[in-house]
Amino acid sequence: RGFPFPCNYVDDLATSNHMVGIKVQQNEEMYINSQWELAKLKQENGLFDNQYRKVVDSKSFCKYSLGNQTPINGQGNVWPLVKSIDLELTLGLMCSLPQYREAHFKWEAHLVNGTYHRVCRYNSSSSGMIKTDSLANEIHMLIGFTLRTALLNTSC
């Protein structure tokens, strides 16, 4: 679900007005707003069939993405309210790097078919992310550094 990575971090990456930064911001904003529209549609129409089973309900969307805030009725653009963005791939990559794996994550081991697997969960006291705000700041800094470096190495 959501990870505390506020929308203003994504907005900050777009301040260069470079097409890459702008595109990232637009894609995230469109995705979040489309998820909100689907969640509202699911709630309003009671859509619970297989076609909509993967669509998050509006209560969960507000909890995980908006930090328990509820948008004003009829509000279409919820981007300014976003407190958490889904960064599973980014977090998975950071888990693979030893300096981040031990500094930012608590692990538990699960035995599956005779093999132990290390597991980290977001909403668990026994295993999960340590100091999520500092991890969000670290990701913001790394993405910004990478984007700025890439921009310096292009001739656009």
Side-chain angles (χ1 to χ4, degrees):
R1 301 287 171 130
F3 171 74
F5 193 81
C7 63
N8 61 333
Y9 284 9
V10 177
D11 293 340
D12 179 56
L13 297 175
T15 57
S16 68
N17 288 328
H18 189 277
M19 61 184 172
V20 174
I22 298 292
K23 188 70 174 167
V24 168
Q25 179 194 36
Q26 289 173 342
N27 285 349
E28 284 295 328
E29 188 171 344
M30 276 189 345
Y31 175 76
I32 288 289
N33 286 324
S34 69
Q35 291 301 301
W36 171 239
E37 291 301 320
L38 284 172
K40 285 193 316 186
L41 184 67
K42 182 177 179 179
Q43 180 182 7
E44 291 166 1
N45 298 327
L47 302 173
F48 296 104
D49 59 11
N50 281 342
Q51 181 182 358
Y52 291 95
R53 75 182 191 304
K54 289 187 177 181
V55 175
V56 69
D57 61 89
S58 59
K59 184 178 178 181
S60 294
F61 180 88
C62 291
K63 178 180 178 182
Y64 293 111
S65 296
L66 305 181
N68 280 328
Q69 292 182 13
T70 303
I72 300 167
N73 283 342
Q75 183 173 354
N77 183 8
V78 294
W79 181 249
L81 303 175
V82 171
K83 303 286 185 259
S84 300
I85 296 175
D86 185 4
L87 294 174
E88 287 180 4
L89 295 175
T90 303
L91 293 173
L93 178 63
M94 292 188 83
C95 284
S96 70
L97 303 170
Q99 65 267 30
Y100 295 111
R101 181 177 36 230
E102 301 308 324
H104 294 289
F105 301 94
K106 283 174 42 179
W107 300 90
E108 55 184 41
H110 289 273
L111 186 63
V112 179
N113 296 330
T115 304
Y116 278 100
H117 297 269
R118 293 178 78 186
V119 177
C120 177
R121 298 184 182 138
Y122 177 68
N123 289 329
S124 174
S125 59
S126 62
S127 68
M129 288 178 264
I130 305 166
K131 300 180 278 186
T132 55
D133 289 337
S134 71
L135 183 57
N137 290 333
E138 184 80 17
I139 293 171
H140 177 237
M141 191 252 338
L142 288 171
I143 293 172
F145 177 75
T146 304
L147 181 61
R148 286 173 183 89
T149 302
L151 296 177
L152 290 173
N153 291 330
T154 62
S155 58
C156 294

